[in-house]
Amino acid sequence: MSSLYHPTVARLTYRALLGRRRAMIMGTLPALLLIISVAVRLLTTADDSTADGILGGFAIATMVPLIGVIAGTGAIGPEIDDGSVVYLLAKPVKRPTIIVTKLIVAIGITVAFSAIPTLLAGFILNGNGHQLAVAYALAAAVASVAYSAIFLLLGTVTRHAVVAGLVYALVWETLFGSLVSGARTLSVQQWALALAQKVGEGDLITSDVGLPTAVVLLVAVTVAATWYAASKLRTLTLAGEE
């Protein structure tokens, strides 16, 4: 593991992602989730259906992918855009190590800004009734891994990574996912919900993808995106040397 994790690269990535502007943007959505949860709980009694609607409809469907876009693309995209990645690539650090290190940092930040607030919101809304808080927090954490890998890849292959990420998160998963049943099978959100469905009690949480298929797809997409991002970084190095 030490050969795939570089502390200096990690520190620089954390510093870039947790800068004042980016941290404020990422912190807005979890803060909104918690404010909504507190307001709903103050105005109504604990209700499983309401908790499911907020956690599934806002936290998982909107908050997690948007934070993933910011953290995943921000882990490397700005360095490529402004050319500072050349200084990083000039160091004696293997390209896969750079990508894996940045992915670990992006995952950690996405989980912190999405899974933890989702868990807190679940406890506020219905006290973890039917294991909804734990189930949706698990879904947020699992989705954070896949989203971070996908959006990190986008950051290495296009200068419009944020736009591409938003198109995937909001158009493909949210719009097409709600209108076209087949699109849900290729949705990180649905894969994550398959695990949440297993943990949650009752029939409130549902997924269009079976658990074994969801696990395989989550692992496959994460590994493939990470491998391809490392491959593209090698190409970028060669182009710079030429």
Side-chain angles (χ1 to χ4, degrees), residues 7-234:
T8 301
V9 175
R11 184 170 62 253
L12 293 173
T13 307
Y14 273 117
R15 186 180 301 171
L17 289 179
L18 295 178
R20 182 178 301 177
R21 179 182 176 185
R22 192 170 277 112
M24 285 182 61
I25 295 174
M26 287 192 292
T28 299
L29 289 171
L32 181 59
L33 172 64
L34 293 175
I35 291 172
I36 291 173
S37 300
V38 170
V40 168
R41 187 57 191 271
L42 290 175
L43 295 174
T44 64
T45 57
D47 179 77
D48 295 336
S49 179
T50 301
D52 176 67
I54 293 175
L55 296 178
F58 179 73
I60 300 300
T62 302
M63 182 182 75
V64 179
L66 289 180
I67 292 176
V69 169
I70 298 170
T73 61
I76 196 169
E79 291 177 302
I80 294 178
D81 290 342
D82 62 20
S84 61
V85 71
V86 173
Y87 298 100
L88 178 60
L89 296 178
K91 304 297 182 182
V93 183
K94 294 180 179 179
R95 305 308 174 249
T97 299
I98 294 174
I99 290 297
V100 172
T101 299
K102 287 182 173 294
L103 176 60
I104 292 172
V105 172
I107 290 172
I109 290 177
T110 306
V111 169
F113 278 85
S114 61
I116 295 174
T118 298
L119 181 66
L120 294 175
F123 274 99
I124 292 171
L125 287 165
N126 76 333
N128 195 37
H130 293 287
Q131 292 291 310
L132 289 181
V134 172
Y136 276 116
L138 173 63
V142 169
S144 295
V145 176
Y147 281 133
S148 295
I150 292 170
F151 298 136
L152 179 63
L153 170 60
L154 289 178
T156 65
V157 300
T158 175
R159 292 182 178 274
H160 306 289
V162 174
V163 175
L166 291 175
V167 169
Y168 173 81
L170 299 180
V171 177
W172 176 262
E173 293 219 341
T174 303
L175 181 59
F176 281 93
S178 63
L179 298 177
V180 183
S181 58
R184 300 189 189 106
T185 305
L186 300 177
S187 166
V188 172
Q189 178 185 331
Q190 291 299 319
W191 304 341
L193 287 176
L195 277 77
Q197 183 179 14
K198 182 68 175 180
V199 174
E201 300 172 354
D203 57 359
L204 286 171
I205 304 176
T206 59
S207 173
D208 291 341
V209 182
L211 182 58
T213 302
V215 172
V216 170
L217 288 173
L218 281 166
V219 173
V221 166
T222 301
V223 172
T226 305
W227 173 83
Y228 193 59
S231 177
K232 292 300 293 183
L233 201 60
R234 288 194 188 97

